[in-house]
């Protein structure tokens, strides 16, 4: 049944997402293509437009999917959704799975366009893309680069879960009279909770990056943090446990959202 629901998400949402993504992709690609011709003055404007369009792709598609989620889970179209002979957790899982996949794909396209932009910039300055990226990779290190990529990917999926969960939780009977105000308040509370948990995980999880050796160590940041404050010095290690913030919050919110969908959703 989950596969059927995901397939239905692709059937109903993918065409609209493709149209929006296609327009943004066309603007970015056309701008970068013309910018590579190095037309005086116009080239700089086109470079900026191409970069802005490339960076706008994931959030634009994300907003479109968020609107769709709200309409089908809390709005007028939610009556049809809630009439389906499946459990709420299945509907939630299908929508979040689709959203996460589309966000990852749109982010990959956005990064490809950014690399193209960077390559054009490098060519205009008499350099090459390899000459720009190699020093960055060597400065960060392969291990940290891999860690960063994994964290970003997990963070994107977690954000999709969080946003969908907040909207479903806000659709409970005691809050749905607020309309869009409920998820808006939820996002503010989510930000506050995320910052608090991130600080705790930053200093207490024994998993850090040693600034002196440039390696990952199994140490917690708290002693280094206290020493840096008392001695007015820079910390020697930076906690990496903060990366667990979004996944942990996403897991908790997903449980709450499923509970809300199956027992407390109120449509008006």
């Amino acid at each position: 049944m989950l596969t059927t629901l995901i397939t239905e998400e692709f059937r109903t949402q993918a065409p609209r997402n493709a149209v929006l993504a296609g327009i943004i992709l066309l603007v970015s690609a056309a701008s970068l293509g013309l910018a590579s011709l190095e037309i005086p003055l116009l080239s700089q404007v086109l470079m900026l437009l191409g970069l802005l369009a490339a960076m706008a792709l994931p959030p634009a598609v994300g907003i479109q999917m968020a609107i769709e989620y709200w309409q089908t889970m809390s709005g007028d179209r939610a009556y049809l959704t809630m009439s389906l002979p499946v459990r709420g957790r299945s509907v939630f899982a299908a929508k979040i799975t689709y959203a996460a996949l589309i966000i990852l794909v749109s982010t990959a396209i956005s990064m490809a366009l950014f690399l193209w932009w960077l390559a054009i910039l490098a060519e205009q300055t008499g350099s090459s893309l390899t000459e720009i990226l190699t020093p960055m990779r060597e400065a960060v290190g392969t291990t940290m680069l891999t860690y960063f990529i994994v964290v970003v990917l997990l963070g994107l999926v977690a954000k999709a879960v969080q946003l969908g969960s907040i909207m479903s939780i806000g659709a409970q009977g005691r809050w749905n009279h607020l309309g869009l105000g409920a998820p808006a308040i939820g996002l503010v509370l989510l930000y506050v909770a995320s910052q608090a948990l991130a600080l705790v995980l930053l200093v207490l999880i024994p998993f850090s990056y040693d600034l002196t050796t440039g390696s990952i160590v199994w140490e917690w940041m708290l002693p280094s943090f206290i020493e840096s404050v008392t001695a007015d010095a820079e910390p020697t290690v930076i906690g990496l446990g903060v990366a667990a913030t979004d996944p942990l919050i996403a897991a908790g919110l997903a449980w709450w959202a499923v509970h809300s969908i199956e027992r407390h959703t109120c449509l008006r």
Side-chain angles (χ1 to χ4, degrees):
M1 179 57 71
L2 180 60
T3 303
T4 302
L5 291 174
I6 295 175
T7 302
E8 184 64 17
E9 289 297 314
F10 273 95
R11 187 188 71 81
T12 56
Q13 286 201 66
R16 291 192 291 271
N17 296 151
V19 169
L20 177 60
I23 293 173
I24 296 175
L25 178 59
L26 179 61
V27 171
S28 180
S31 298
L32 294 177
L34 292 173
S36 63
L37 300 177
E38 299 188 25
I39 304 173
L41 297 179
L42 182 60
S43 180
Q44 286 74 16
V45 176
L46 291 172
M47 284 285 286
L48 178 60
L49 179 60
L51 178 61
L52 292 177
M55 296 299 101
L57 178 57
V61 175
I63 291 172
Q64 186 183 42
M65 290 190 295
I67 294 173
E68 176 73 13
Y69 184 95
W70 177 260
Q71 291 177 342
T72 56
M73 296 295 284
S74 306
D76 293 338
R77 292 159 60 194
Y79 290 97
L80 176 60
T81 303
M82 296 305 168
S83 68
L84 296 174
V86 294
R87 301 187 70 180
R89 64 193 62 195
S90 297
V91 176
F92 178 77
K95 289 185 174 295
I96 294 302
T97 299
Y98 173 80
L101 288 173
I102 297 303
I103 285 297
L104 291 176
V105 170
S106 62
T107 300
I109 296 174
S110 178
M111 290 299 98
L113 289 170
F114 174 72
L115 289 176
W116 185 14
W117 177 87
L118 202 60
I120 296 173
L121 181 65
E123 183 179 354
Q124 292 178 347
T125 56
S127 182
S128 67
L129 183 60
T130 302
E131 291 175 347
I132 293 178
L133 295 180
T134 300
M136 295 181 181
R137 181 180 59 81
E138 293 177 347
V140 176
T142 304
T143 302
M144 281 303 298
L145 181 60
T146 303
Y147 169 81
F148 176 75
I149 293 174
V150 172
V151 168
V152 169
L153 294 178
L154 288 177
L156 290 172
V157 174
K159 288 301 182 184
V161 176
Q162 291 172 8
L163 184 56
S165 299
I166 288 294
M167 287 190 284
S168 290
I169 293 169
Q172 293 187 48
R174 52 182 167 176
W175 293 318
N176 76 339
H177 66 281
L178 297 173
L180 289 174
I185 294 173
L187 289 176
V188 173
L189 295 176
L190 172 63
Y191 174 78
V192 174
S194 297
Q195 296 303 305
L197 180 60
L199 179 60
V200 173
L201 296 178
L202 178 70
V203 298
L204 295 183
I205 298 297
F207 181 57
S208 304
Y209 178 72
D210 193 320
L211 296 174
T212 57
T213 62
S215 59
I216 294 178
V217 295
W218 298 102
E219 299 178 11
W220 60 340
M221 184 183 172
L222 185 59
S224 177
F225 176 74
I226 295 176
E227 182 181 353
S228 66
V229 172
T230 55
D232 192 23
E234 295 294 329
T236 57
V237 297
I238 299 295
L240 299 179
V242 66
T245 303
D246 280 338
L248 287 176
I249 291 180
L253 286 177
W255 175 86
W256 190 1
V258 168
H259 183 78
S260 299
I261 293 170
E262 295 183 343
R263 301 187 182 185
H264 301 292
T265 296
C266 179
L267 304 178
R268 294 180 181 178

